[in-house]
Amino acid sequence: MGILNKIFGKNEEKKESEIMTYKDFWDWFITKEKDFFEVIKSQNNIEANFFDVIAPKLKEINSGYYFLAGMSDDAIAELIITVEGDIKNIVFAEEIIAAAPLLNHWKFTALKPEMNLTSGIEMDGKKFSSENIFFYENEIEGYPDEIDITFVYENTIDENKDSVVTGVCVFLDNFLGELNFATQIDTFNVIDKSDAQKELVPVTKLKDFLSWREREFTEKYKNVKNFDEEDRFSVFEATLKNGLPLIATINTSLLNYDSKASYPWISILKVQYDGANNNGLPEKKDYEKLSDIEEKIIEELKIEDGHLYIGRENADNLKESYFASKDFRKPSKVLKKAMENYPEYKMTLEIYKDKYWQSFERYNVNQN
């Protein structure tokens, strides 16, 4: 495939046709697809004639899009929309490709597919392949469903650790496919072969291992009911190192739920506000507006649809709202929409996998 291109393109063409929707993008693409096909097939100044043209158009829809382009075969050009493993943007890559038109000489793909890496890849003068990458699973006491993997690569030393980790990640991203690499492994590390503590398994067996663990996990939790206990919220107060107060309201009944792993996707919406005159806490106007925003989100992320509201935390001019879900796609859309609807606040979003909600162990709740 072609060159990976992050969407920080130029914006000279915006006035020509503003891109607001997936349909807008594909309608625009159709007007240029013949030229684009010839550019990709001939590799004639592909950066200026394709990457620099398409990049700003995609950015108008979502700044988290990346893309790859190349010839799938002699007659078909392929455009892959990728998000480089960013969970919160996966659904948007899937959506834009689902809206793509059927064109005779084009193939459109959401996320990097798994590839047959017979010869491996080369990065920074190092080769990463099935011949020199191995793995073994780590069992974590108290967390039986956690998939924690150690990857082993020969000649990993402190001086080249970063480049080795990057190379292993790029290999896995292509070997497993972007979606699988982003969602099937909970945590991992990379070590030198001399530091291995278990029998090494060839990386060629990784797909089968992950598929087996996923089936096992799905079977274990397929009959688990949605959380249906009455909500019990507790208020926590603390003092930050800078002396400012922290106030959190947490659904402590949820923290004692014995099937947390059935809601493995954690979403955190962070909203900045001006609390300079209130010790870093929101003043009445902001407090009421932020509460209203949160209530609207809770109404959309319903418990019957597989979502749980864990609680919120306010401190040092920042509010964090916490949710747990069975899947990451709807929270991605709902929370992105909230960010777009309230531009007066600076918001950021994190979505990640945390089967045992270790993110919230700081509350150290142990109630019956």
Side-chain angles (χ1 to χ4, degrees):
M1 295 303 295
I3 304 169
L4 180 63
N5 192 66
K6 187 168 171 66
I7 309 306
F8 286 121
K10 302 170 186 176
N11 205 27
E12 291 95 344
E13 295 188 3
K14 188 170 182 179
K15 293 181 181 178
E16 174 191 324
S17 56
E18 188 171 8
I19 304 297
M20 302 294 292
T21 66
Y22 300 140
K23 184 177 184 301
D24 290 341
F25 173 77
W26 291 117
D27 286 348
W28 168 83
F29 187 92
I30 287 172
T31 67
K32 298 180 179 293
E33 60 97 2
K34 290 183 175 61
D35 292 336
F36 286 159
F37 176 82
E38 292 301 328
V39 168
I40 293 173
K41 186 173 183 179
S42 67
Q43 295 288 303
N44 181 23
N45 203 5
I46 190 171
E47 181 120 9
N49 294 330
F50 182 70
F51 289 138
D52 289 349
V53 178
I54 195 175
K57 294 298 182 182
L58 282 170
K59 185 182 178 184
E60 288 179 51
I61 302 175
N62 191 316
S63 61
Y65 285 145
Y66 300 67
F67 61 90
L68 293 158
M71 295 301 293
S72 179
D73 59 38
D74 291 342
I76 302 293
E78 183 174 12
L79 174 64
I80 299 175
I81 303 296
T82 167
V83 295
E84 290 299 278
D86 188 347
I87 297 295
K88 66 179 181 290
N89 281 318
I90 285 176
V91 66
F92 303 112
E94 294 172 335
E95 285 186 339
I96 193 171
I97 293 301
L102 294 175
L103 300 175
N104 289 334
H105 297 292
W106 283 92
K107 177 182 179 181
F108 303 111
T109 303
L111 310 173
K112 284 175 281 186
E114 64 178 75
M115 299 174 64
N116 181 13
L117 298 178
T118 305
S119 59
I121 62 171
E122 289 193 17
M123 292 185 65
D124 295 330
K126 302 178 183 67
K127 185 174 182 179
F128 299 88
S129 73
S130 58
E131 295 180 356
N132 57 17
I133 299 176
F134 304 88
F135 78 97
Y136 57 82
E137 182 187 18
N138 300 301
E139 296 178 5
I140 304 177
E141 186 176 357
Y143 304 104
D145 298 309
E146 193 85 356
I147 299 178
D148 181 85
I149 294 178
T150 292
F151 289 102
V152 179
Y153 181 81
E154 297 176 352
N155 301 319
T156 301
I157 57 178
D158 291 342
E159 289 76 8
N160 68 6
K161 182 69 178 285
D162 289 344
S163 65
V164 167
V165 171
T166 298
V168 170
C169 286
V170 171
F171 174 86
L172 294 171
D173 200 31
N174 288 278
F175 177 66
L176 297 175
E178 184 174 356
L179 181 62
N180 290 337
F181 183 43
T183 61
Q184 289 187 329
I185 300 174
D186 296 313
T187 54
F188 70 91
N189 67 322
V190 180
I191 64 171
D192 183 68
K193 193 171 184 178
S194 63
D195 296 322
Q197 299 179 359
K198 292 185 177 181
E199 181 180 351
L200 302 186
V201 181
V203 76
T204 51
K205 296 183 180 297
L206 181 62
K207 293 178 185 178
D208 290 340
F209 167 76
L210 293 175
S211 295
W212 167 66
R213 287 300 306 269
E214 189 169 43
R215 288 193 303 271
E216 185 182 59
F217 179 81
T218 302
E219 183 68 23
K220 181 177 180 179
Y221 290 100
K222 71 177 182 179
N223 294 320
V224 172
K225 293 182 179 180
N226 284 343
F227 182 84
D228 57 4
E229 290 186 27
E230 183 178 349
D231 290 337
R232 295 195 306 271
F233 284 90
S234 300
V235 176
F236 296 83
E237 298 186 18
T239 302
L240 303 177
K241 290 182 179 180
N242 60 10
L244 294 177
L246 178 151
I247 298 179
T249 304
I250 301 296
N251 189 340
T252 49
S253 52
L254 277 182
L255 296 187
N256 291 286
Y257 182 40
D258 60 3
S259 294
K260 295 186 186 75
S262 61
Y263 295 85
W265 295 101
I266 302 299
S267 302
I268 303 179
L269 182 66
K270 299 182 179 182
V271 186
Q272 294 185 19
Y273 56 81
D274 184 4
N277 296 321
N278 196 30
N279 289 320
L281 299 176
E283 297 190 48
K284 183 178 180 181
K285 181 179 178 182
D286 281 324
Y287 180 85
E288 291 177 348
K289 190 165 186 178
L290 293 176
S291 295
D292 182 59
I293 293 171
E294 189 176 71
E295 284 300 321
K296 289 178 179 177
I297 294 170
I298 294 171
E299 287 175 9
E300 291 198 66
L301 297 178
K302 298 182 181 359
I303 186 170
E304 56 264 33
D305 295 331
H307 310 283
L308 300 173
Y309 171 60
I310 297 176
R312 61 184 177 270
E313 184 177 287
N314 285 286
D316 204 4
N317 306 295
L318 183 70
K319 176 179 181 177
E320 297 185 354
S321 297
Y322 308 123
F323 301 86
S325 302
K326 290 182 178 294
D327 186 61
F328 55 84
R329 289 172 175 84
K330 187 167 184 180
S332 298
K333 298 178 67 173
V334 169
L335 295 170
K336 183 174 185 289
K337 181 181 176 183
M339 295 167 69
E340 294 171 345
N341 287 345
Y342 301 95
E344 63 269 33
Y345 292 106
K346 182 178 179 181
M347 303 188 192
T348 56
L349 172 62
E350 293 180 31
I351 299 182
Y352 56 91
K353 202 172 191 180
D354 183 1
K355 288 177 180 172
Y356 291 93
W357 300 9
Q358 296 177 65
S359 307
F360 307 107
E361 287 182 353
R362 62 185 181 274
Y363 295 107
N364 196 27
V365 176
N366 188 18
Q367 300 179 8
N368 296 318

